[in-house]
Amino acid sequence: MKNRSKTTKNNIITYIMVILLFAVMQTLVSTGNVSSLLKGLLVPLCAYIILAVSLNLTVGILGELSLGHAGFMCVGAFTSAFFSKCTADLIPISGVRYLLALLIGAAAAGLCGILIGIPVLRLKGDYLAIVTLAFGEIIKNIVNILFIGRDENGFHFSTKDSLSLGLSPEGEVLINGPQGITGTPQDSSFFIGVVLILVTLFIVLNLIHSRSGRAIMAIRDNRIAAESIGINITKYKLMAFSISAALAGVGGVIYAHNLATLTAQPKNFGYNMSIMILVFVVLGGIGNIRGSIIAAIVLTLLPELLRGLSDYRMLIYAVVLIVMMLFNWSPKAIEWREKCSAKWKRNKQKEA
Protein backbone atom coordinates (compact mmCIF):
# COMPACT_ATOMS: atom_id res chain seq x y z
CA MET A 1 0.00 0.00 0.00
CA LYS A 2 2.87 2.32 0.87
CA ASN A 3 4.64 1.57 -2.44
CA ARG A 4 1.40 2.16 -4.35
CA SER A 5 0.90 5.58 -2.74
CA LYS A 6 4.53 6.48 -3.50
CA THR A 7 4.08 5.46 -7.14
CA THR A 8 0.88 7.51 -7.41
CA LYS A 9 2.65 10.50 -5.88
CA ASN A 10 5.55 10.25 -8.35
CA ASN A 11 3.13 9.96 -11.29
CA ILE A 12 1.20 13.03 -10.13
CA ILE A 13 4.47 14.99 -9.82
CA THR A 14 5.29 14.08 -13.44
CA TYR A 15 1.86 15.23 -14.66
CA ILE A 16 2.11 18.47 -12.68
CA MET A 17 5.59 19.13 -14.08
CA VAL A 18 4.27 18.90 -17.66
CA ILE A 19 1.27 21.12 -16.87
CA LEU A 20 3.45 23.76 -15.16
CA LEU A 21 5.87 23.80 -18.10
CA PHE A 22 2.93 24.27 -20.46
CA ALA A 23 1.53 27.11 -18.33
CA VAL A 24 4.92 28.89 -18.18
CA MET A 25 5.51 28.56 -21.92
CA GLN A 26 1.95 29.61 -22.76
CA THR A 27 2.37 32.70 -20.57
CA LEU A 28 5.64 33.59 -22.31
CA VAL A 29 4.01 33.16 -25.73
CA SER A 30 0.95 35.26 -24.84
CA THR A 31 3.13 38.08 -23.47
CA GLY A 32 5.32 38.10 -26.58
CA ASN A 33 8.53 37.03 -24.81
CA VAL A 34 9.13 34.09 -27.18
CA SER A 35 10.70 34.47 -30.62
CA SER A 36 8.88 33.19 -33.69
CA LEU A 37 11.58 30.55 -34.24
CA LEU A 38 11.22 29.25 -30.69
CA LYS A 39 7.44 29.32 -31.01
CA GLY A 40 7.75 27.16 -34.11
CA LEU A 41 9.61 24.53 -32.08
CA LEU A 42 6.83 24.01 -29.52
CA VAL A 43 4.74 21.51 -31.53
CA PRO A 44 7.77 19.47 -32.70
CA LEU A 45 8.96 19.51 -29.08
CA CYS A 46 5.72 17.80 -28.01
CA ALA A 47 6.32 15.14 -30.68
CA TYR A 48 9.91 14.63 -29.49
CA ILE A 49 8.79 14.21 -25.87
CA ILE A 50 6.24 11.55 -26.88
CA LEU A 51 8.89 9.79 -28.97
CA ALA A 52 11.41 9.87 -26.10
CA VAL A 53 8.90 8.53 -23.54
CA SER A 54 7.73 5.79 -25.91
CA LEU A 55 11.29 4.74 -26.81
CA ASN A 56 12.13 4.59 -23.09
CA LEU A 57 9.44 1.92 -22.84
CA THR A 58 11.45 -0.25 -25.24
CA VAL A 59 15.00 0.66 -24.19
CA GLY A 60 14.56 1.34 -20.47
CA ILE A 61 11.66 -0.88 -19.39
CA LEU A 62 11.94 -3.77 -21.88
CA GLY A 63 15.73 -3.52 -22.09
CA GLU A 64 16.01 -3.85 -25.88
CA LEU A 65 17.95 -1.42 -28.09
CA SER A 66 15.79 -0.20 -30.98
CA LEU A 67 16.97 2.22 -33.68
CA GLY A 68 13.83 2.09 -35.79
CA HIS A 69 11.70 4.58 -33.89
CA ALA A 70 11.87 7.11 -36.72
CA GLY A 71 10.37 4.44 -38.99
CA PHE A 72 7.30 4.05 -36.77
CA MET A 73 7.06 7.84 -36.58
CA CYS A 74 7.16 7.95 -40.39
CA VAL A 75 4.36 5.38 -40.68
CA GLY A 76 2.13 7.35 -38.29
CA ALA A 77 2.95 10.66 -39.99
CA PHE A 78 2.23 9.60 -43.57
CA THR A 79 -0.84 7.43 -42.91
CA SER A 80 -2.46 10.19 -40.86
CA ALA A 81 -1.49 12.95 -43.33
CA PHE A 82 -2.84 10.86 -46.22
CA PHE A 83 -6.12 10.31 -44.34
CA SER A 84 -6.46 14.00 -43.43
CA LYS A 85 -5.83 15.15 -46.99
CA CYS A 86 -8.31 12.63 -48.43
CA THR A 87 -11.05 13.57 -45.94
CA ALA A 88 -10.44 17.34 -45.77
CA ASP A 89 -13.71 17.98 -47.66
CA LEU A 90 -15.65 14.99 -46.30
CA ILE A 91 -14.96 15.82 -42.61
CA PRO A 92 -14.96 19.63 -42.29
CA ILE A 93 -14.78 19.52 -38.47
CA SER A 94 -11.03 19.65 -37.83
CA GLY A 95 -11.24 18.19 -34.31
CA VAL A 96 -13.05 15.04 -35.44
CA ARG A 97 -10.75 14.63 -38.44
CA TYR A 98 -7.64 15.06 -36.28
CA LEU A 99 -8.87 12.54 -33.70
CA LEU A 100 -9.50 9.98 -36.44
CA ALA A 101 -6.07 10.72 -37.93
CA LEU A 102 -4.49 10.12 -34.51
CA LEU A 103 -6.22 6.76 -34.15
CA ILE A 104 -5.28 5.72 -37.70
CA GLY A 105 -1.66 6.83 -37.32
CA ALA A 106 -1.29 5.05 -33.97
CA ALA A 107 -2.98 1.89 -35.29
CA ALA A 108 -0.81 1.77 -38.43
CA ALA A 109 2.40 2.25 -36.45
CA GLY A 110 1.28 -0.29 -33.81
CA LEU A 111 0.47 -2.83 -36.52
CA CYS A 112 3.94 -2.33 -38.03
CA GLY A 113 5.36 -2.80 -34.54
CA ILE A 114 3.60 -6.16 -34.24
CA LEU A 115 4.62 -7.31 -37.73
CA ILE A 116 8.24 -6.27 -37.20
CA GLY A 117 8.35 -7.40 -33.58
CA ILE A 118 7.29 -11.02 -34.18
CA PRO A 119 10.49 -11.97 -36.07
CA VAL A 120 12.81 -9.23 -34.77
CA LEU A 121 12.35 -9.61 -31.01
CA ARG A 122 13.98 -13.02 -31.19
CA LEU A 123 17.24 -11.12 -31.69
CA LYS A 124 19.23 -9.39 -28.96
CA GLY A 125 21.57 -6.46 -28.51
CA ASP A 126 23.39 -5.17 -31.59
CA TYR A 127 21.52 -7.51 -33.93
CA LEU A 128 18.17 -6.11 -32.86
CA ALA A 129 19.48 -2.54 -33.24
CA ILE A 130 20.73 -3.25 -36.79
CA VAL A 131 17.47 -4.85 -37.93
CA THR A 132 15.28 -2.08 -36.49
CA LEU A 133 17.59 0.51 -38.07
CA ALA A 134 17.14 -1.25 -41.42
CA PHE A 135 13.35 -1.19 -40.94
CA GLY A 136 13.41 2.58 -40.45
CA GLU A 137 15.45 3.10 -43.61
CA ILE A 138 13.21 0.75 -45.62
CA ILE A 139 10.07 2.64 -44.59
CA LYS A 140 11.63 5.98 -45.54
CA ASN A 141 12.74 4.67 -48.95
CA ILE A 142 9.35 3.08 -49.68
CA VAL A 143 7.63 6.41 -49.03
CA ASN A 144 10.08 8.15 -51.36
CA ILE A 145 9.19 5.90 -54.33
CA LEU A 146 5.44 5.85 -53.68
CA PHE A 147 3.08 7.85 -55.90
CA ILE A 148 -0.65 7.88 -55.14
CA GLY A 149 -3.29 9.89 -56.96
CA ARG A 150 -7.07 10.19 -56.93
CA ASP A 151 -9.67 11.08 -59.56
CA GLU A 152 -13.29 10.16 -60.35
CA ASN A 153 -12.18 6.59 -61.10
CA GLY A 154 -10.68 6.08 -57.63
CA PHE A 155 -7.12 5.79 -56.36
CA HIS A 156 -4.11 5.18 -58.59
CA PHE A 157 -0.76 3.80 -57.44
CA SER A 158 2.71 3.86 -59.00
CA THR A 159 6.36 3.52 -58.01
CA LYS A 160 7.68 5.24 -61.16
CA ASP A 161 6.49 8.87 -61.31
CA SER A 162 3.32 10.97 -61.06
CA LEU A 163 2.72 10.91 -64.85
CA SER A 164 2.44 7.12 -64.83
CA LEU A 165 -0.60 7.38 -62.51
CA GLY A 166 -2.78 8.17 -65.52
CA LEU A 167 -4.96 10.67 -63.72
CA SER A 168 -7.78 12.57 -65.40
CA PRO A 169 -7.49 16.39 -65.70
CA GLU A 170 -9.59 16.75 -62.51
CA GLY A 171 -7.44 14.30 -60.56
CA GLU A 172 -4.90 15.20 -57.88
CA VAL A 173 -1.65 13.66 -56.68
CA LEU A 174 -1.86 12.82 -52.97
CA ILE A 175 1.61 11.37 -52.37
CA ASN A 176 4.21 12.61 -54.84
CA GLY A 177 7.22 10.39 -54.12
CA PRO A 178 10.23 12.37 -52.78
CA GLN A 179 8.11 15.55 -52.74
CA GLY A 180 5.83 13.91 -50.17
CA ILE A 181 2.38 15.19 -49.22
CA THR A 182 1.49 18.85 -49.72
CA GLY A 183 -1.50 20.61 -48.22
CA THR A 184 -2.04 18.54 -45.07
CA PRO A 185 -4.43 20.39 -42.70
CA GLN A 186 -2.30 21.99 -39.98
CA ASP A 187 -4.44 20.83 -37.07
CA SER A 188 -1.65 20.31 -34.52
CA SER A 189 -1.20 22.89 -31.77
CA PHE A 190 0.87 23.26 -28.62
CA PHE A 191 -2.17 22.63 -26.42
CA ILE A 192 -3.09 19.42 -28.27
CA GLY A 193 0.54 18.32 -28.08
CA VAL A 194 0.62 18.75 -24.29
CA VAL A 195 -2.68 16.86 -23.92
CA LEU A 196 -1.21 13.98 -25.96
CA ILE A 197 1.94 14.05 -23.81
CA LEU A 198 -0.25 13.59 -20.72
CA VAL A 199 -2.13 10.74 -22.42
CA THR A 200 1.18 9.10 -23.36
CA LEU A 201 2.45 9.45 -19.79
CA PHE A 202 -0.78 7.98 -18.45
CA ILE A 203 -0.47 4.93 -20.73
CA VAL A 204 3.26 4.35 -20.12
CA LEU A 205 3.30 4.98 -16.36
CA ASN A 206 0.24 2.80 -15.76
CA LEU A 207 1.73 0.03 -17.90
CA ILE A 208 5.04 0.18 -16.01
CA HIS A 209 3.37 -0.13 -12.60
CA SER A 210 0.87 -2.79 -13.68
CA ARG A 211 1.24 -6.56 -13.57
CA SER A 212 2.24 -6.56 -17.23
CA GLY A 213 4.88 -3.90 -16.54
CA ARG A 214 6.40 -5.98 -13.74
CA ALA A 215 6.51 -8.96 -16.10
CA ILE A 216 8.25 -6.85 -18.77
CA MET A 217 10.86 -5.64 -16.26
CA ALA A 218 11.36 -9.20 -15.03
CA ILE A 219 12.18 -10.21 -18.62
CA ARG A 220 14.62 -7.29 -18.83
CA ASP A 221 16.38 -8.24 -15.59
CA ASN A 222 16.61 -12.00 -16.15
CA ARG A 223 14.97 -13.65 -19.13
CA ILE A 224 15.67 -17.23 -18.00
CA ALA A 225 14.30 -16.64 -14.48
CA ALA A 226 11.20 -14.92 -15.89
CA GLU A 227 10.54 -17.80 -18.26
CA SER A 228 11.05 -20.34 -15.48
CA ILE A 229 8.18 -18.86 -13.43
CA GLY A 230 5.76 -18.98 -16.35
CA ILE A 231 6.02 -15.50 -17.87
CA ASN A 232 5.20 -15.54 -21.59
CA ILE A 233 8.34 -13.87 -22.99
CA THR A 234 7.05 -13.35 -26.54
CA LYS A 235 3.71 -11.92 -25.40
CA TYR A 236 5.11 -9.26 -23.08
CA LYS A 237 8.02 -8.26 -25.31
CA LEU A 238 5.63 -7.84 -28.23
CA MET A 239 3.21 -5.88 -26.03
CA ALA A 240 5.86 -3.36 -24.98
CA PHE A 241 7.29 -3.06 -28.50
CA SER A 242 3.92 -2.54 -30.21
CA ILE A 243 2.70 0.02 -27.62
CA SER A 244 5.99 1.89 -28.03
CA ALA A 245 5.54 1.84 -31.82
CA ALA A 246 1.93 3.05 -31.60
CA LEU A 247 2.95 5.98 -29.39
CA ALA A 248 5.73 6.81 -31.87
CA GLY A 249 3.00 6.91 -34.50
CA VAL A 250 1.14 9.47 -32.36
CA GLY A 251 4.32 11.59 -32.32
CA GLY A 252 4.41 11.29 -36.11
CA VAL A 253 0.78 12.49 -36.37
CA ILE A 254 1.58 15.62 -34.34
CA TYR A 255 4.67 16.26 -36.44
CA ALA A 256 2.89 15.75 -39.78
CA HIS A 257 -0.06 18.02 -38.99
CA ASN A 258 2.28 20.89 -38.16
CA LEU A 259 3.84 21.07 -41.63
CA ALA A 260 2.54 22.40 -44.93
CA THR A 261 4.66 19.85 -46.82
CA LEU A 262 5.59 16.46 -45.38
CA THR A 263 8.60 14.71 -46.93
CA ALA A 264 10.53 11.62 -45.86
CA GLN A 265 14.03 13.09 -45.57
CA PRO A 266 16.97 11.66 -43.59
CA LYS A 267 16.86 14.62 -41.19
CA ASN A 268 13.26 14.01 -40.06
CA PHE A 269 12.59 10.28 -40.55
CA GLY A 270 16.04 8.80 -41.01
CA TYR A 271 18.86 7.39 -38.93
CA ASN A 272 19.68 10.78 -37.40
CA MET A 273 16.17 11.14 -35.95
CA SER A 274 16.34 7.69 -34.33
CA ILE A 275 19.72 8.53 -32.80
CA MET A 276 18.47 11.90 -31.54
CA ILE A 277 15.52 10.24 -29.77
CA LEU A 278 17.87 7.65 -28.29
CA VAL A 279 20.10 10.49 -27.02
CA PHE A 280 17.07 11.94 -25.18
CA VAL A 281 16.51 8.58 -23.51
CA VAL A 282 20.15 7.95 -22.58
CA LEU A 283 20.87 11.45 -21.27
CA GLY A 284 17.60 11.57 -19.35
CA GLY A 285 18.37 8.22 -17.76
CA ILE A 286 17.42 4.83 -19.18
CA GLY A 287 14.13 3.85 -17.56
CA ASN A 288 13.59 7.37 -16.17
CA ILE A 289 10.44 8.75 -17.82
CA ARG A 290 10.71 12.16 -16.19
CA GLY A 291 14.35 12.40 -17.24
CA SER A 292 13.42 11.71 -20.88
CA ILE A 293 10.99 14.65 -20.81
CA ILE A 294 13.59 17.02 -19.35
CA ALA A 295 16.31 15.87 -21.78
CA ALA A 296 14.01 16.31 -24.78
CA ILE A 297 13.08 19.84 -23.68
CA VAL A 298 16.64 20.93 -22.92
CA LEU A 299 18.29 19.46 -26.01
CA THR A 300 15.55 20.72 -28.36
CA LEU A 301 15.31 24.28 -27.08
CA LEU A 302 18.95 24.86 -26.09
CA PRO A 303 20.38 25.48 -29.61
CA GLU A 304 17.65 28.08 -30.27
CA LEU A 305 18.05 29.74 -26.86
CA LEU A 306 21.79 30.03 -27.50
CA ARG A 307 21.38 31.42 -31.01
CA GLY A 308 22.51 34.86 -29.84
CA LEU A 309 25.92 33.42 -28.94
CA SER A 310 26.55 32.69 -32.61
CA ASP A 311 29.65 30.48 -33.03
CA TYR A 312 29.72 29.37 -29.40
CA ARG A 313 26.21 27.94 -29.16
CA MET A 314 27.08 24.46 -30.47
CA LEU A 315 30.14 24.37 -28.20
CA ILE A 316 27.91 25.08 -25.18
CA TYR A 317 25.42 22.48 -26.48
CA ALA A 318 28.21 19.86 -26.58
CA VAL A 319 29.36 20.81 -23.05
CA VAL A 320 25.78 20.40 -21.75
CA LEU A 321 25.62 16.96 -23.37
CA ILE A 322 28.86 15.91 -21.67
CA VAL A 323 27.78 17.28 -18.28
CA MET A 324 24.40 15.52 -18.47
CA MET A 325 26.09 12.25 -19.42
CA LEU A 326 28.56 12.51 -16.52
CA PHE A 327 25.80 13.44 -14.06
CA ASN A 328 23.64 10.49 -15.08
CA TRP A 329 26.25 7.78 -15.60
CA SER A 330 29.48 8.66 -13.76
CA PRO A 331 29.97 6.31 -10.74
CA LYS A 332 31.04 9.26 -8.54
CA ALA A 333 27.97 11.27 -9.55
CA ILE A 334 25.70 8.30 -8.84
CA GLU A 335 27.37 7.85 -5.43
CA TRP A 336 26.95 11.57 -4.65
CA ARG A 337 23.25 11.48 -5.62
CA GLU A 338 22.67 8.44 -3.41
CA LYS A 339 24.37 10.19 -0.45
CA CYS A 340 22.27 13.32 -0.95
CA SER A 341 19.10 11.23 -1.21
CA ALA A 342 19.94 9.30 1.98
CA LYS A 343 20.76 12.53 3.82
CA TRP A 344 17.49 14.12 2.72
CA LYS A 345 15.53 11.06 3.90
CA ARG A 346 17.26 11.12 7.31
CA ASN A 347 16.48 14.83 7.75
CA LYS A 348 12.88 14.19 6.80
CA GLN A 349 12.61 11.35 9.33
CA LYS A 350 14.08 13.58 12.10
CA GLU A 351 11.54 16.30 11.32
CA ALA A 352 8.74 13.74 11.48
Side-chain angles (χ1 to χ4, degrees):
M1 192 70 179
K2 186 178 180 181
N3 289 335
R4 184 178 297 178
S5 62
K6 185 179 178 181
T7 299
T8 304
K9 183 180 178 181
N10 286 331
N11 291 351
I12 291 172
I13 290 173
T14 305
Y15 298 139
I16 291 174
M17 182 187 77
V18 173
I19 293 169
L20 286 177
L21 289 172
F22 167 73
V24 169
M25 188 56 69
Q26 197 67 30
T27 302
L28 292 174
V29 170
S30 60
T31 55
N33 292 318
V34 176
S35 66
S36 58
L37 289 173
L38 190 60
K39 196 184 298 182
L41 286 174
L42 294 179
V43 175
L45 174 62
C46 294
Y48 296 152
I49 291 173
I50 291 173
L51 289 163
V53 171
S54 61
L55 183 60
N56 213 338
L57 181 60
T58 299
V59 177
I61 309 305
L62 180 60
E64 299 289 357
L65 179 59
S66 172
L67 293 178
H69 226 52
F72 298 121
M73 178 188 177
C74 185
V75 171
F78 274 88
T79 53
S80 63
F82 179 77
F83 169 80
S84 293
K85 186 166 183 179
C86 290
T87 59
D89 297 328
L90 296 175
I91 308 176
I93 304 173
S94 61
V96 175
R97 185 179 61 240
Y98 189 68
L99 177 61
L100 293 174
L102 275 170
L103 296 175
I104 290 171
L111 180 61
C112 286
I114 293 172
L115 295 177
I116 297 298
I118 290 172
V120 162
L121 288 176
R122 299 175 185 274
L123 304 173
K124 297 179 182 178
D126 297 341
Y127 302 104
L128 177 62
I130 291 168
V131 174
T132 52
L133 173 62
F135 160 74
E137 293 299 308
I138 289 169
I139 290 295
K140 178 174 65 68
N141 290 323
I142 287 175
V143 171
N144 281 328
I145 63 166
L146 189 62
F147 295 85
I148 301 178
R150 180 180 61 176
D151 59 15
E152 64 274 8
N153 297 318
F155 290 97
H156 301 259
F157 301 87
S158 175
T159 56
K160 187 178 179 182
D161 54 40
S162 58
L163 294 176
S164 62
L165 291 171
L167 297 173
S168 66
E170 292 78 19
E172 64 172 338
V173 178
L174 299 173
I175 300 181
N176 195 15
Q179 297 180 26
I181 300 177
T182 303
T184 305
Q186 297 184 33
D187 295 328
S188 291
S189 67
F190 184 44
F191 174 74
I192 292 174
V194 171
V195 170
L196 291 174
I197 289 172
L198 293 173
V199 172
T200 302
L201 287 172
F202 179 79
I203 293 170
V204 172
L205 292 175
N206 279 278
L207 174 64
I208 291 172
H209 299 295
S210 67
R211 182 179 179 183
S212 298
R214 289 190 291 272
I216 292 168
M217 287 185 282
I219 295 169
R220 175 198 64 189
D221 294 337
N222 194 319
R223 179 192 176 104
I224 296 173
E227 196 169 11
S228 68
I229 60 174
I231 294 176
N232 189 328
I233 304 293
T234 304
K235 172 187 171 183
Y236 287 109
K237 288 182 75 173
L238 195 59
M239 177 192 294
F241 194 73
S242 58
I243 292 174
S244 176
L247 293 174
V250 171
V253 175
I254 298 172
Y255 187 84
H257 287 74
N258 186 51
L259 301 173
T261 301
L262 179 67
T263 57
Q265 300 296 324
K267 64 180 181 180
N268 53 2
F269 294 119
Y271 171 77
N272 290 336
M273 176 62 79
S274 292
I275 293 298
M276 185 180 76
I277 301 165
L278 184 62
V279 166
F280 295 157
V281 173
V282 173
L283 290 183
I286 294 177
N288 186 344
I289 301 299
R290 203 180 299 163
S292 296
I293 297 172
I294 295 170
I297 293 171
V298 171
L299 297 183
T300 302
L301 299 183
L302 191 62
E304 181 57 37
L305 293 173
L306 297 174
R307 185 171 292 275
L309 298 176
S310 186
D311 297 335
Y312 299 99
R313 67 190 183 99
M314 295 313 294
L315 174 62
I316 297 172
Y317 181 80
V319 170
V320 170
L321 282 175
I322 294 169
V323 170
M324 289 181 69
M325 181 67 78
L326 290 173
F327 182 77
N328 280 319
W329 300 105
S330 169
K332 290 290 184 183
I334 294 171
E335 182 182 347
W336 176 77
R337 292 206 310 271
E338 289 176 351
K339 286 181 179 178
C340 290
S341 178
K343 185 178 179 181
W344 181 77
K345 287 179 180 177
R346 285 197 301 269
N347 291 336
K348 193 174 181 181
Q349 289 174 355
K350 287 179 181 179
E351 290 175 1

